[in-house]
Amino acid sequence: MSSIYPPSFPRRLVGNFGRVVGLAGITLGATCTGVGIVAYTDQGARRNAYFWARAFPVYIHYRWTEWLVKDLSEEEQNRRYDALHELHAPRMEGIARHLKGFYIKLGQLGSTRTDFLAEPYLKVCERLQDDCPTEPFERIVDIIENSLGKKVGEVFRHVDHKPLGSASIGQVHKAELLDGTPVVVKVQFPDAERMFRIDIKTAQDFCRLVQPDHLPFLKEVEKQFMTEFDYRREAENLDEIADNVLPVWGRKVVIPRPFKHLCTREVLVMEYVPGTKLADAIKRQYTHIAASRNMTLQELIEEQDRIDRERESKGLEREVGPSALQYALWQTQVVLRNAAMGVCVAAYNWTVGWVLSALTPSSWGFEGIAKIPPAISGFHEMPINIPQILDVLMKVHGHELFHDGAFNGDPHPGNILLTPDGKLGLIDYGQVKHITREQRLNLAHLVVALAEKNYPQAAKVLTEKVGLKTKNSDERTLALRARMLFDRDDKTVTGGMNAQAFFESLEREDPLVHMPDDYVMAWRLSLLMRGMGWALRYPISTAEGWYPIAKRLIEDQDREGKGKGRGKRKKAKTKT
């Protein structure tokens, strides 16, 4: 079969411990190591003890298996690990659903990196993305009323009992204000902040003992997570980002405005943005493609997996999806076909159909049966131009990062909607990071060096401007770190290793001494953008994607510097 239209969530076969466990699986499986003693009786210690008893044996099992199979063939290693994944993935999902909070967030992060996770763990992470645990509606009402100091009926005409969605720290309901305005009400779970602090401390203890180079990342993530627990700050973020982005990108994206007089620490009320989750819309599109080939979506995925394996065995990269131009041609074809069908349907309904309907006795109960309703007339749904959407997302987030210095550090697929008018709804800004102009310029110099493939310069910028320090200041390993952070993370950089194994190899060669916290969320943004591209079969280099705006920022700075220099010389000459 032709693979020009690939499945929306491809699966990557893996061959060694690092690749099979991946980022989320290994983190979920190991964060328990920071736990102290089961004998404690407070809730935090009980959570840690629960994790210790259930998750740490999973981690040990993987490490033990890694040692046992190191001399076996790759095929036999895969077989052993596949059995482990099937055994332990459901257990890890059970732990995440029981403890919720931080562990749900880790699973959601893992769902964006289909290239790092084995199939059973990926399915777990995708379920955590789409099907988070929810709180009963009565409890949500109590939180709203206690936080606003009013009865729900004094603020809202109606609140849907069924949530639109649930996340790691709260859930969202559609509602109507008293004047009929449709809104979304975001409600924070009780004790969410306290549980997050406990759980992320456990993760930091693990990293401190086992993988200290990941500790700066977790510390910065902790700082950003803590900003999510005051919804008044998110309301400010929504207004700030909308003011920055919409004047430039308003034709492509929608950002909801908050109703600040109804926003408290635990409750956020904002405009309702109609639409479908981008991931769901793309999945539906590929389901239609599979049906057109007399296949199920799963069969299409399996067929694409087979093609990927064949290509990998020949040393070839996996196939990418159709180009933006191919999608545009497909869209034009659909428009023309629908227009032609519309003419045919209208001509029939107003001629033969009209006559037959008029002649049909009403007593038969078949009035209008000869007319063709639009629903069965052969009209096709407009396809989604996936590479074009990814391009918009890259440019919008690049604008936030380099132009504004205020960007979303958590743009996962669950926070992106496809609206009925074709725009992208960017709906969650709980984790907005602010960086200074100097820091933006430092990142811009790094991105430009990477995009121009000047890796010695990238290593120099990483140390001298960004401030990352290693023990030996080895140029090669510094360049690889820079590429992993803000360029690519495929096998052209890692040599086929997964992220964890890759960083471990760098640590052995040139240990990390200092990673400045202020750049960690920019790295996370880069990581999430690349993960989204990989999941949709469009490998992304964030350096190449952000190159134009980074280059422009540097050029603007150079012009400003020259202008100031001329002004100073002119002033000095006047005085003389």
Side-chain angles (χ1 to χ4, degrees):
M1 80 166 209
S2 168
S3 58
I4 190 172
Y5 301 116
S8 55
F9 299 106
R11 309 298 191 249
R12 177 174 175 81
L13 292 180
V14 289
N16 55 46
F17 171 76
R19 290 157 75 185
V20 291
V21 179
L23 289 177
I26 187 62
T27 307
L28 287 174
T31 50
C32 56
T33 55
V35 180
I37 303 295
V38 177
Y40 292 131
T41 58
D42 65 274
Q43 186 179 9
R46 287 199 303 271
R47 288 173 66 83
N48 290 341
Y50 180 94
F51 209 99
W52 176 277
R54 289 162 177 78
F56 191 62
V58 175
Y59 173 68
I60 293 299
H61 196 177
Y62 272 106
R63 284 298 188 187
W64 174 245
T65 301
E66 180 187 17
W67 183 81
L68 287 176
V69 305
K70 64 180 184 297
D71 296 325
L72 300 179
S73 66
E74 184 174 342
E75 181 179 355
E76 180 61 21
Q77 288 185 27
N78 284 342
R79 191 186 67 78
R80 298 277 188 98
Y81 283 128
D82 286 344
L84 278 186
H85 304 333
E86 295 294 341
L87 174 66
H88 291 310
R91 297 178 179 177
M92 303 314 300
E93 180 177 11
I95 293 170
R97 289 187 179 278
H98 179 81
L99 296 177
K100 304 179 183 179
F102 178 67
Y103 302 103
I104 294 287
K105 178 69 76 174
L106 285 178
Q108 291 176 339
L109 176 60
S111 73
T112 69
R113 295 316 309 251
T114 60
D115 49 331
F116 287 166
L117 293 181
E119 180 77 10
Y121 284 101
L122 183 58
K123 288 181 177 179
V124 167
C125 291
E126 288 177 350
R127 286 195 293 269
L128 294 176
Q129 182 73 55
D130 298 330
D131 184 28
C132 290
T134 61
E135 293 289 335
F137 181 70
E138 294 75 17
R139 193 175 189 188
I140 295 300
V141 170
D142 288 342
I143 296 171
I144 294 173
E145 291 183 342
N146 290 334
S147 188
L148 296 180
K150 297 179 181 179
K151 293 292 184 181
V152 166
E154 297 178 44
V155 181
F156 304 103
R157 177 190 292 180
H158 171 75
V159 179
D160 286 357
H161 284 226
K162 183 179 179 181
L164 287 173
S166 180
S168 54
I169 67 169
Q171 64 193 54
V172 176
H173 291 257
K174 186 180 179 183
E176 287 185 5
L177 298 180
L178 296 178
D179 63 1
T181 302
V183 296
V184 163
V185 185
K186 186 174 179 179
V187 183
Q188 186 177 145
F189 297 144
D191 286 336
E193 180 177 357
R194 189 165 70 89
M195 295 300 101
F196 248 80
R197 290 184 182 277
I198 291 169
D199 296 336
I200 203 166
K201 177 62 166 61
T202 302
Q204 289 173 351
D205 288 343
F206 164 74
C207 283
R208 188 174 291 108
L209 292 171
V210 179
Q211 197 140 25
D213 56 314
H214 284 180
L215 192 58
F217 174 79
L218 275 179
K219 286 184 175 179
E220 179 63 16
V221 166
E222 178 186 20
K223 288 195 294 185
Q224 288 302 127
F225 278 171
M226 291 306 104
T227 67
E228 282 198 271
F229 295 104
D230 188 343
Y231 285 168
R232 294 167 299 188
R233 180 173 293 182
E234 182 171 352
E236 295 291 341
N237 292 340
L238 284 168
D239 266 344
E240 179 185 13
I241 298 294
D243 289 341
N244 291 340
V245 171
L246 294 184
V248 181
W249 291 98
R251 291 185 298 173
K252 298 289 187 179
V253 302
V254 178
I255 299 172
R257 295 282 187 172
F259 295 82
K260 289 186 178 179
H261 65 289
L262 297 177
C263 295
T264 66
R265 182 177 177 82
E266 300 86 10
V267 176
L268 172 66
V269 181
M270 59 184 174
E271 294 174 337
Y272 171 69
V273 177
T276 305
K277 284 184 180 180
L278 179 60
D280 292 341
I282 293 173
K283 190 173 184 178
R284 185 175 67 242
Q285 176 163 299
Y286 285 116
T287 301
H288 291 164
I289 292 169
S292 71
R293 299 174 179 178
N294 296 317
M295 304 172 73
T296 65
L297 178 60
Q298 185 59 37
E299 288 172 340
L300 184 63
I301 291 171
E302 291 171 357
E303 177 68 11
Q304 189 63 55
D305 279 345
R306 183 188 63 78
I307 294 171
D308 288 345
R309 289 195 299 273
E310 289 179 357
R311 291 179 64 85
E312 187 175 19
S313 67
K314 298 175 182 178
L316 301 174
E317 296 288 343
R318 68 177 193 162
E319 292 182 326
V320 300
S323 68
L325 177 59
Q326 287 174 307
Y327 269 113
L329 293 174
W330 185 15
Q331 290 173 330
T332 301
Q333 182 183 25
V334 170
V335 169
L336 294 175
R337 177 170 179 169
N338 285 349
M341 288 301 301
V343 171
C344 293
V345 168
Y348 179 87
N349 284 345
W350 286 100
T351 54
V352 178
W354 182 83
V355 172
L356 292 178
S357 296
L359 294 176
T360 303
S362 59
S363 60
W364 292 5
F366 296 142
E367 297 93 335
I369 193 172
K371 293 188 177 181
I372 303 176
I376 61 171
S377 62
F379 287 97
H380 284 220
E381 185 175 340
M382 183 64 68
I384 303 166
N385 194 324
I386 299 173
Q388 191 175 75
I389 286 174
L390 289 172
D391 183 62
V392 170
L393 289 172
M394 279 290 294
K395 289 177 178 176
V396 168
H397 287 92
H399 179 93
E400 293 177 5
L401 177 61
F402 292 101
H403 186 273
D404 304 323
F407 62 93
N408 184 7
D410 190 30
H412 63 75
N415 292 341
I416 302 170
L417 302 179
L418 185 64
T419 66
D421 59 358
K423 294 182 180 181
L424 297 177
L426 309 179
I427 58 174
D428 190 322
Y429 280 91
Q431 290 189 41
V432 169
K433 173 68 176 177
H434 294 81
I435 58 176
T436 66
R437 182 177 177 85
E438 180 182 1
Q439 290 166 342
R440 285 185 278 146
L441 282 165
N442 293 341
L443 281 178
H445 283 288
L446 180 59
V447 163
V448 167
L450 290 169
E452 294 177 349
K453 296 181 171 47
N454 188 346
Y455 299 131
Q457 177 65 15
K460 183 178 180 181
V461 172
L462 187 65
T463 55
E464 295 182 4
K465 291 184 178 293
V466 174
L468 185 143
K469 304 295 182 184
T470 59
K471 182 178 180 180
N472 304 320
S473 299
D474 178 70
E475 184 181 277
R476 188 188 74 86
T477 56
L478 285 168
L480 287 174
R481 287 184 188 273
R483 294 185 68 189
M484 189 69 173
L485 294 173
F486 290 103
D487 186 11
R488 297 182 182 276
D489 47 33
D490 55 22
K491 64 183 181 182
T492 63
V493 177
T494 66
M497 291 182 283
N498 88 306
Q500 179 189 344
F502 176 70
F503 277 117
E504 286 177 348
S505 70
L506 295 182
E507 278 296 290
R508 287 192 295 270
E509 292 184 46
D510 190 9
L512 182 70
V513 175
H514 175 67
M515 171 71 176
D517 294 348
D518 285 329
Y519 297 97
V520 167
M521 294 309 290
W523 170 35
R524 185 166 185 250
L525 172 62
S526 173
L527 182 75
L528 290 172
M529 288 287 101
R530 284 177 276 163
M532 206 178 306
W534 179 270
L536 299 174
R537 288 191 169 266
Y538 294 93
I540 289 175
S541 161
T542 43
E544 293 174 8
W546 290 336
Y547 177 75
I549 191 168
K551 186 79 170 176
R552 190 160 57 248
L553 177 62
I554 294 171
E555 290 171 349
D556 289 345
Q557 177 69 15
D558 290 343
R559 279 193 296 269
E560 290 176 14
K562 290 177 182 178
K564 290 178 181 178
R566 285 194 298 269
K568 289 180 180 179
R569 288 194 297 271
K570 185 176 180 180
K571 188 175 181 180
K573 187 176 180 180
T574 301
K575 287 183 178 180
T576 302

